[in-house]
Amino acid sequence: MGFQDRLLRCYYASRAWVPARWLYHPDYFHVRKLLAADPQRRRAAAEHRLRHVLASAAVHVPFYRRSVRLSAAELAHEAPCELLQRFPYLEKAQVMACQHDFLDERADTLRLHYATSGGSSGQGIGLWRSKRLADIEKAFFAHEWGQFGFSADKARILRIGADARRLAHQGPVRVVGNRLMLSPYHLTPRHRGDIVAAIARFRPRYIHAYPSSAAALAEMIDPAALDLQVRAVLLASEPATRQQLATIGARFACPVSVCYGLAERTSLAFAGHRDGITGPYRFEPLYALHENRDAGERSEIVGTSLWNDLMPLIRYCSDDFGAIGADGVCVSIDGRRQQFLVARDGTRIPGLSIVIDEATWDFVRLYQVRQRVAGAITLCVVARYRRLSEQQKRFVLDAQLRRWGGWFDIAIEEADDIALAPNGKRQLVVSELGSA
């Protein structure tokens, strides 16, 4: 174990007894108070933050100083929403082409944390962040998930994510303070005994995980047999299918919260699943100003953080699609542009819509949709027990042909497993069209 690992263990083991004011930036508490305030005060705070971010960017961020011409009087007196329209839409490729030009010129990168994300497309992005910004982010999650009694510092949490990954020769679990860390790479029948035993000992009250990992765990354990009472399952970092939510909610018999966010921190929304019903996403208006950009028949989600004045990404185009109402409600988010499948006639169909029938889960453990050429898809399936029979393969294939045969040529392929991406998550849709 390295020095950094030992330091982290000490931090997580002791933070439950450390006063919160020593752990978090003062703006963490400021945001918590605003989130608990009346709607009028929250709206005024959001407007004030938007003006500050835009004015700071126009004066101190090289990219915006070149591309946006606004006078001091305009920045001080024009309505912030009207000022925002003077800023151009922003794409990920633009940021990566000149990263330092998006950083406030007064910042000292030696005092900042630089984080990268590969994203669903494999096209990475890197951003500088401060502790202040990280703590502000935590304030929004503390407010939303606090309704379930959740506390990141004190609650007993089962964590399944990138930070819990372990090497193949290592065990699947380890305890770090108030968190039982379960490696997403190890959610296999081979490790079931160790996983069940660790959960029985630790007795977590909350599960914080990737949707795919939480669904895999739900298939692996029986909470009733363990006398395990989970208060909430908190999902983040990847899209959640309705089948996954139904499986997780039914097995753990508790509310499920789904977070939609970006590594770029320009949008934040939450949806809930309870008693078999999945509600819409609700975008947080105090976190960012959200817009829709018309993209043909779809509406692309565009966000501007109200707090990131360090490396402001203004009117950042997410490559995600969903119509956001004036009240911040979005019925569904279609997903990353790279998760769309191209049909025979060129129509782009959301990959998440290619689902297998409920009865199929009796003999299929995992599946993935793969596309190598336009108009054709392969459904890669992993058997729940040994191999699939020819009758089972035909059942899966016929169901998809009935649903999608008019759009695609469809083949079925059986595999022993579906590999995880480097970030520890399985991809439901893998398209090779861009590299063909």
Side-chain angles (χ1 to χ4, degrees):
M1 184 188 302
F3 173 75
Q4 187 173 10
D5 288 335
R6 288 196 295 270
L7 196 62
L8 283 174
R9 279 182 179 271
C10 290
Y11 169 74
Y12 284 110
S14 61
R15 69 175 182 172
W17 294 279
V18 177
R21 66 180 181 275
W22 293 0
L23 294 175
Y24 299 112
H25 189 280
D27 279 352
Y28 169 89
F29 304 100
H30 175 58
V31 170
R32 293 294 304 271
K33 287 181 180 179
L34 287 175
L35 286 166
D38 61 83
Q40 184 176 354
R41 186 182 174 196
R42 291 199 302 270
R43 284 193 296 270
E47 183 174 317
H48 170 76
R49 290 301 314 174
L50 179 60
R51 183 185 302 280
H52 168 77
V53 168
L54 298 181
S56 178
V59 176
H60 298 294
V61 178
F63 175 85
Y64 294 111
R65 195 163 55 221
R66 290 196 307 266
S67 57
V68 180
R69 300 297 182 187
L70 289 167
S71 67
E74 289 172 316
L75 290 169
H77 301 296
E78 280 197 19
C81 287
E82 293 179 10
L83 291 173
L84 181 66
Q85 302 306 309
R86 306 273 292 274
F87 285 74
Y89 287 117
L90 185 63
E91 307 277 354
K92 178 188 289 188
Q94 291 174 271
V95 179
M96 292 307 292
C98 53
Q99 280 178 286
H100 279 86
D101 283 359
F102 287 91
L103 185 66
D104 189 305
E105 60 191 0
R106 298 168 296 180
D108 179 1
T109 55
L110 295 178
R111 297 177 179 270
L112 303 175
H113 174 67
Y114 181 73
T116 60
S117 171
S120 60
S121 67
Q123 180 186 8
I125 188 166
L127 304 118
W128 283 274
R129 300 191 78 207
S130 64
K131 185 179 187 307
R132 168 183 170 270
L133 291 176
D135 287 351
I136 287 172
E137 180 100 357
K138 291 173 185 174
F140 286 94
F141 283 90
H143 174 79
E144 177 67 24
W145 289 346
Q147 65 180 301
F148 308 115
F150 176 79
S151 166
D153 303 327
K154 298 176 175 61
R156 297 180 69 80
I157 305 163
L158 172 60
R159 168 64 178 158
I160 317 174
D163 52 350
R165 288 177 295 177
R166 306 207 82 188
L167 298 176
H169 67 276
Q170 296 176 316
V173 294
R174 68 189 190 279
V175 175
V176 181
N178 63 323
R179 304 188 302 171
L180 176 63
M181 310 292 281
L182 171 54
S183 170
Y185 289 135
H186 291 65
L187 279 166
T188 64
R190 173 187 170 191
H191 297 286
R192 183 182 182 279
D194 290 337
I195 292 170
V196 169
I199 291 174
R201 288 192 304 269
F202 190 81
R203 305 189 65 74
R205 304 307 301 273
Y206 301 90
I207 298 173
H208 182 201
Y210 298 139
S212 58
S213 297
L217 180 69
E219 295 281 353
M220 180 179 291
I221 70 170
D222 182 358
L226 293 173
D227 192 26
L228 181 66
Q229 296 181 337
V230 177
R231 291 183 178 176
V233 179
L234 314 172
L235 305 177
S237 298
E238 68 181 8
T241 67
R242 291 191 178 274
Q243 287 173 321
Q244 288 171 338
L245 292 175
T247 298
I248 296 165
R251 179 56 62 97
F252 293 107
C254 67
V256 182
S257 176
V258 188
C259 163
Y260 165 76
L262 302 173
E264 296 86 337
R265 270 75 182 185
T266 55
S267 292
L268 183 66
F270 293 93
H273 177 90
R274 193 165 196 165
D275 299 326
I277 299 173
T278 303
Y281 282 94
R282 295 184 179 276
F283 280 78
E284 175 49 64
L286 190 60
Y287 181 91
L289 189 145
H290 299 97
E291 303 175 83
N292 273 140
R293 180 171 72 159
D294 182 51
E297 297 178 357
R298 296 161 295 151
S299 298
E300 185 176 9
I301 297 169
V302 176
T304 301
S305 170
L306 299 179
W307 300 92
N308 186 2
D309 48 11
L310 173 68
M311 189 177 178
L313 302 182
I314 297 169
R315 308 192 83 190
Y316 184 79
C317 300
S318 65
D319 276 352
D320 292 339
F321 300 88
I324 305 172
D327 56 358
V329 172
C330 180
V331 175
S332 65
I333 298 174
D334 289 335
R336 298 289 186 181
R337 180 179 293 158
Q338 293 77 14
Q339 289 177 327
F340 282 84
L341 300 165
V342 180
R344 291 193 190 100
D345 63 355
T347 300
R348 284 147 49 89
I349 295 175
L352 290 177
S353 63
I354 310 294
V355 297
I356 58 178
D357 297 85
E358 185 174 350
T360 309
W361 292 109
D362 291 338
F363 52 88
V364 168
R365 182 167 64 90
L366 298 168
Y367 77 103
Q368 185 177 71
V369 183
R370 299 173 179 175
Q371 183 166 49
R372 298 184 180 90
V373 296
I377 60 174
T378 298
L379 193 68
C380 180
V381 295
V382 178
R384 184 172 295 281
Y385 310 106
R386 298 185 180 176
R387 312 296 291 182
L388 298 181
S389 67
E390 289 303 316
Q391 184 179 5
Q392 289 169 334
K393 289 182 183 178
R394 176 51 57 183
F395 177 87
V396 175
L397 184 58
D398 285 348
Q400 295 304 322
L401 286 171
R402 284 195 301 271
R403 223 180 255 122
W404 299 102
W407 299 91
F408 303 99
D409 296 323
I410 306 174
I412 188 168
E413 176 180 300
E414 189 171 1
D416 294 328
D417 199 4
I418 292 175
L420 298 180
N423 60 5
K425 295 181 283 187
R426 286 185 176 88
Q427 293 177 267
L428 180 62
V429 177
V430 174
S431 174
E432 298 177 10
L433 292 182
S435 58

